Amino acid sequence: MDTFTKQFSEYAKSVGCDLLGIAPIERFKGIKPENHPSSIFPEAKSVIVVGKRITRGSLRGVEEGTQFNTYHLYGYTWLEDRFLSVTSLKLAEYLEDNKWEAVPMFNLPTEISPMGIPVRPGNPPPNVLVDFDDAAVRAGLGEIGYLRTFVSPEFGARQRFFMILTDAPLTPTPVSTENICDRSSEFQKYCPLGAIDSSKEEVMEIAGKKMKVASIDFRKCCECKNGAVANRRHPSGSPDRLAAVCMRSYMVHLEKKGNLKNRFANPFRTRPAWEVLTDRTIIEAGSDIE
Ligand code: SF4
């Protein structure tokens, strides 16, 4: 790693960055212009993915079914809009203090349709939206897990990302070769609504990394009352599932297997998880402890 990238990484830690991955722009070869970082900053040499953890305790109130605001603020809205945005801006400022241009990017769903027309021939229409989970894989931070969420070796699915495009030629982070998710078809039992279908698996490939994932019926997730939250940026975006019972059960599994580096003195789940099957069903203790 070159000296500037090392100094930049150390600064990132000092301003609250938990995960930092750097992809050279060449790793985005094959991405269509509508989603390509170069469409936003044609001179970009590096794509920096900045991650901040969702603390495990932010999920506690949802796990107990007694306090949902804590996750909503510390795991979602404040985490993105306050803590992660400040960290990312500081990193962008650091780059610009060192003569490199830095474009801070917020995580918007790629499902949003274009909102304008191309301003010149050959340009994609605005707004170009980059897939942050895809970029995090390209930036070496982890993989797409079986349940189609990004997972890191540090926190599993418990993190959120911002991105910075820069013309700084930083030392790239290698694409991860770790297997964090054990991709068991048994994970489909984590959804009480039957949204996870292991009989329809597919293989995603990002930057040469192949990852088997289950099919998920996101229409059911949009109706899910088990800790899922509608996408707050756009109704066409996938719902936020990171606090839903499926992902909490998945986290319990990964922790029990010892697959995550962020370890705790006590297990997360000590009582059966609550589940709501429909709008009308009353809460019942459904999931087994694992
Ligand atoms: S968010 Fe809800 S419906 Fe979707 S997979 Fe998870 S538990 Fe099932």
Side-chain angles (χ1 to χ4, degrees):
M1 185 185 291
D2 70 86
T3 307
F4 180 65
T5 305
K6 193 164 182 293
Q7 288 167 345
F8 177 68
S9 303
E10 282 164 7
Y11 179 72
K13 272 189 210 143
S14 76
V15 293
C17 175
D18 289 320
L19 301 169
L20 189 79
I22 298 165
I25 196 68
E26 293 76 21
R27 275 195 206 149
F28 290 80
K29 192 173 171 210
I31 300 272
K32 56 185 181 179
E34 288 78 4
N35 303 110
H36 201 295
S38 290
S39 300
I40 300 166
F41 185 14
E43 287 73 33
K45 296 255 185 325
S46 306
V47 175
I48 304 165
V49 180
V50 183
K52 197 151 179 64
R53 78 183 81 182
I54 298 170
T55 53
R56 196 176 82 164
S58 298
L59 302 172
R60 176 55 57 196
V62 183
E63 173 71 3
E64 305 306 328
T66 52
Q67 218 312 332
F68 292 78
N69 291 332
T70 296
Y71 169 73
H72 194 67
L73 297 176
Y74 284 95
Y76 198 10
T77 58
W78 284 1
L79 187 63
E80 287 189 341
D81 300 351
R82 300 185 180 198
F83 313 128
L84 191 47
S85 60
V86 169
T87 295
S88 301
L89 183 62
K90 283 185 178 300
L91 293 177
E93 289 169 346
Y94 185 96
L95 289 165
E96 297 210 344
D97 282 346
N98 285 278
K99 300 187 168 53
W100 302 110
E101 187 169 321
V103 184
M105 301 269 298
F106 188 83
N107 191 355
L108 289 165
T110 52
E111 293 90 349
I112 299 175
S113 302
M115 294 178 174
I117 57 168
V119 298
R120 60 165 70 100
N123 265 24
N127 284 313
V128 169
L129 299 168
V130 180
D131 184 327
F132 278 41
D133 285 354
D134 173 284
V137 176
R138 292 176 201 274
L141 292 178
E143 63 189 33
I144 307 297
Y146 189 72
L147 300 182
R148 303 184 91 106
T149 54
F150 180 88
V151 287
S152 69
E154 290 81 7
F155 308 113
R158 286 190 293 109
Q159 60 265 304
R160 296 197 184 273
F161 294 123
F162 269 40
M163 189 184 293
I164 299 170
L165 315 181
T166 181
D167 48 6
L170 301 169
T171 305
T173 313
V175 173
S176 169
T177 53
E178 284 188 64
N179 293 317
I180 307 146
C181 175
D182 38 335
R183 301 184 192 276
S184 165
S185 58
E186 289 289 299
F187 296 163
Q188 72 176 358
K189 74 181 182 189
Y190 296 155
C191 176
L193 304 185
I196 303 167
D197 188 349
S198 293
S199 70
K200 291 185 191 155
E201 293 171 340
E202 58 178 296
V203 176
M204 294 176 72
E205 183 169 352
I206 300 173
K209 190 173 175 67
K210 292 186 176 160
M211 299 157 285
K212 187 175 74 175
V213 296
S215 167
I216 296 184
D217 184 347
F218 287 110
R219 291 167 305 177
K220 289 184 178 172
C221 302
C222 288
E223 303 295 323
C224 178
K225 303 285 188 287
N226 297 289
V229 185
N231 191 296
R232 71 193 183 103
R233 296 296 167 199
H234 200 273
S236 64
S238 305
D240 174 67
R241 295 181 290 138
L242 299 187
V245 67
C246 55
M247 298 311 298
R248 284 182 278 115
S249 302
Y250 180 54
M251 179 185 78
V252 168
H253 171 84
L254 294 179
E255 286 189 357
K256 200 168 173 184
K257 283 265 174 182
N259 293 8
L260 306 183
K261 291 177 186 159
N262 185 212
R263 302 216 165 145
F264 295 84
N266 294 309
F268 180 73
R269 182 166 291 164
T270 52
R271 294 167 281 281
W274 59 276
E275 294 173 351
V276 179
L277 301 183
T278 70
D279 273 347
R280 291 172 184 274
T281 47
I282 304 299
I283 295 168
E284 57 184 60
S287 292
D288 54 20
I289 293 210
E290 186 185 349

